[in-house]
Structure formats: structure tokens, C-alpha cells
Amino acid sequence: SVLHGDIHHDNILDFGARGWLAIDPKGLIGERGFDFANLFCNPDMTKPETAIAGRAEVFARRLEIICAEAKIERSRLLKWIIAYTGLSSAWLITDGTSPKHGLAIGALAEAALAA
């Protein structure tokens, strides 16, 4: 699939009459689960003071909505979330930022996958 490559809350903007648009695409080709997984992490991984993605009820609701709307298998998306949180956490460590919030989201995905 064609991917945005950097889809997250700061890259989806309301353009009024034009509607909601994604900006700053990276133009990748790959598994669409990659783009969906990012929605579970950002912006929480870099702004822990406003973190809500790590709340179990928020995570479960996002999972339900994305699986239904995107018609993506739950276990497949959970595996992508786990992989993405690992990748994103590595980027954060490289930047000198704590990965604890992203790792918490990965732990939620692991628990949901095991359930």
C-alpha cells in the first residue's frame, strides 16, 4: 500500500471547507498497519504531560475503531503496534528522550494480543 509514513495527530489538520487533510507525507510503500500503528503512539511519546494513549480504555477504543474502519485484523494491528513502539522508542532513545510512554503502549498491545 501507499503509506503516509509519518501519520500522527500533528500531521492531520482541519482545512475548513476542504476538510481534514494529512500533511508532510513521506511517500512510502509498505504494509498499511505501519501507518495505523503510529496513531496509537503520537503525540504521547514526546509529550507525556498530555499523554492519554497509554490509558487502557483509550487504547482499547482506538483499537476497536481502527480495526473496524480500516478493516484490519485485530491481531495484525496489535503486532504492528508492538513493532512500531519498539522502533519509535529507539528513535526517542537516540534523541535523549525517555521511551517509557511508548513502551507502555507496546505493553498494552502485548497484553491485548495475549488475551
Side-chain angles (χ1 to χ4, degrees):
S1 296
V2 175
L3 304 177
H4 182 281
D6 192 24
I7 197 87
H8 57 76
H9 302 84
D10 291 333
N11 278 347
I12 302 174
L13 304 175
D14 184 357
F15 282 84
R18 291 184 63 200
W20 291 89
L21 300 173
I23 64 165
D24 196 24
K26 302 305 179 218
L28 304 175
I29 298 200
E31 164 66 45
R32 65 193 185 105
F34 177 83
D35 270 351
F36 291 120
N38 195 8
L39 295 173
F40 285 81
C41 302
N42 281 306
D44 284 6
M45 294 179 87
T46 57
K47 298 176 187 169
E49 67 277 4
T50 60
I52 62 165
R55 295 182 191 160
E57 68 278 7
V58 172
F59 179 88
R61 183 70 180 129
R62 281 186 184 170
L63 183 65
E64 177 185 320
I65 291 168
I66 292 172
C67 286
E69 295 298 321
K71 296 177 180 38
I72 189 168
E73 184 181 320
R74 184 178 181 274
S75 64
R76 185 180 195 96
L77 180 55
L78 287 167
K79 290 173 186 175
W80 272 106
I81 295 167
I82 293 165
Y84 190 89
T85 56
L87 174 65
S88 197
S89 294
W91 289 331
L92 289 171
I93 291 168
T94 300
D95 290 343
T97 303
S98 171
K100 74 177 185 174
H101 296 287
L103 294 175
I105 292 166
L108 287 171
E110 286 178 352
L113 188 60

